[in-house]
Amino acid sequence: MINPTFRRINFQAYKPGRSISKNSKKVIKLSANESALGIGKKVQKVIKAFDNKISKYPDGKFKGLTYAISKKYKCHQNKIICGSGSDEIIQMLCQLFLKKGDEVIVPQYSFLMYRIYAKIVDAKVIFSKEIKFKVSIEEILKKVTKKTKIVFLANPNNPTGTYINNNELIELRKKLNSRILLVVDDAYFEYMVNKDYRSGLEIFKNKKNVFILRTFSKIHGLASLRVGWGYGDKKIINELYKIKPPFNVNRIAQVCAEEALKDKEFIKKSIKHNTLWCKKIKKELKKYKIITNDIGPNFFLLNFNKCKLSADKIEKKLEDYGIILREMKSYGIKNCLRLTIGSKKENLFLLNKMKSIFKNV
Ligand SMILES: *Cc1c(COP(=O)(O)O)cnc(C)c1O
């Protein structure tokens, strides 16, 4: 008997930041860059009072949500598309732009979903070197060939936590061949208090060859509802709507996302919390010679090269206390861990346990 055949998929499935520990009962998950403060009051309210329209299909054109987005960020409603997480938008972009043999450039240590979706459509993924865990414009430009179709860039970058400044980002677009789409993933832009930083949307709102990604999974705390959005040239958006599954973002997600945008107080509180704890944690970790990126997004890449203990060792010891960090081997980064900023209680617990770990070394 001959069985049905299928394409060969030559890579591992995406491994999310772990949420279950082997031994511990109560787990503190600092491995997936989720919101430290959960969700805001406005979202809590709509979830509690959620209406009975679940039996009806959701709005596949996202009228309410895209209107709210366009008002908040002063951009065009008809240049927005929503996805089941920004993940799905990355997937749709790859389907639209790439065919076999096309090339995609991603920085060496970048978000894994870019390379996964590019490979699914048989594109070739080209890695550009980073310098001290920071994206290099020159290195990206060096990798451009006639076959290059897309450059993917998260700014700030995940998992390194570093960012390229306003001028560098503008320079990249200027020097990059205009027929190549630059995708700027703004997943963590809200947290950025750094003066020389500007989000992709702010800089490139009217550019036809830049596509922006945004998510509700991070500062807004809606990771589990799966909702994100993309912003780009009207012509690209129109085509993406043809590719898009008709009801890809469920109704609860759309309504909650709209409420989340309105909750200025929660956003402000989250930013303040993040900046405060980034400072504290960075300073504490320095005592153990654990080096981190500068303050910015809601996570740190912890580098243990100068530390007495290795990343593996710390990962295990913290896990014994029920604290889970993100291992970095799947990203190809040695002797590092990624730490998400947690709630006050979680952060204090972490720092306290670090102290115990280092007391005896
Ligand atoms: C977390 C993250 C996203 C968000 O993914 P969703 O699918 O919207 O949950 C996108 N890009 C980067 C770089 C991220 O770290």
Side-chain angles (χ1 to χ4, degrees), residues 33 84-88 90 111 114 154 158 185 187-188 214-218 223 226-228:
N33 298 346
S84 174
S86 44
D87 250 21
E88 192 184 35
I90 300 167
F111 190 47
Y114 310 143
N158 172 18
D185 185 341
Y188 301 94
R214 292 262 172 125
T215 181
F216 286 94
S217 300
K218 302 290 152 61
R226 311 304 304 127
V227 49

Side-chain angles (χ1 to χ4, degrees), residues 160-163 194 273-303 339-342 347 350-351 354:
T160 58
T162 56
Y163 66 99
N194 319 52
H273 173 91
N274 191 61
T275 311
L276 177 83
W277 281 102
C278 277
K279 281 182 192 160
K280 283 193 189 178
I281 290 172
K282 189 177 170 72
K283 198 171 138 201
E284 281 300 306
L285 295 182
K286 207 173 162 191
K287 291 180 188 165
Y288 313 121
K289 297 205 160 54
I290 300 169
I291 300 155
T292 73
N293 53 283
D294 290 336
I295 290 161
N298 69 334
F299 61 90
F300 280 127
L301 184 70
L302 311 183
N303 185 326
L339 166 73
T340 305
I341 306 299
N347 297 334
L350 169 87
L351 293 177
M354 283 297 235

Side-chain angles (χ1 to χ4, degrees), residues 217-314:
S217 300
K218 302 290 152 61
I219 202 165
H220 297 297
L222 305 184
S224 156
L225 289 180
R226 311 304 304 127
V227 49
W229 53 283
Y231 189 85
D233 184 35
K234 184 76 180 40
K235 282 186 185 150
I236 298 175
I237 296 291
N238 287 348
E239 295 308 292
L240 291 176
Y241 266 98
K242 294 181 192 169
I243 293 176
K244 180 181 89 60
F247 307 112
N248 58 331
V249 182
N250 72 69
R251 198 180 135 73
I252 307 181
Q254 291 190 37
V255 174
C256 287
E258 210 180 316
E259 281 308 303
L261 281 182
K262 289 183 203 155
D263 204 336
K264 283 186 193 157
E265 213 171 295
F266 179 72
I267 297 167
K268 218 164 110 186
K269 199 168 128 192
S270 301
I271 297 168
K272 208 171 145 193
H273 173 91
N274 191 61
T275 311
L276 177 83
W277 281 102
C278 277
K279 281 182 192 160
K280 283 193 189 178
I281 290 172
K282 189 177 170 72
K283 198 171 138 201
E284 281 300 306
L285 295 182
K286 207 173 162 191
K287 291 180 188 165
Y288 313 121
K289 297 205 160 54
I290 300 169
I291 300 155
T292 73
N293 53 283
D294 290 336
I295 290 161
N298 69 334
F299 61 90
F300 280 127
L301 184 70
L302 311 183
N303 185 326
F304 293 82
N305 286 346
K306 296 229 161 74
C307 178
K308 280 187 185 150
L309 298 177
S310 70
D312 278 351
K313 195 124 203 181
I314 294 287

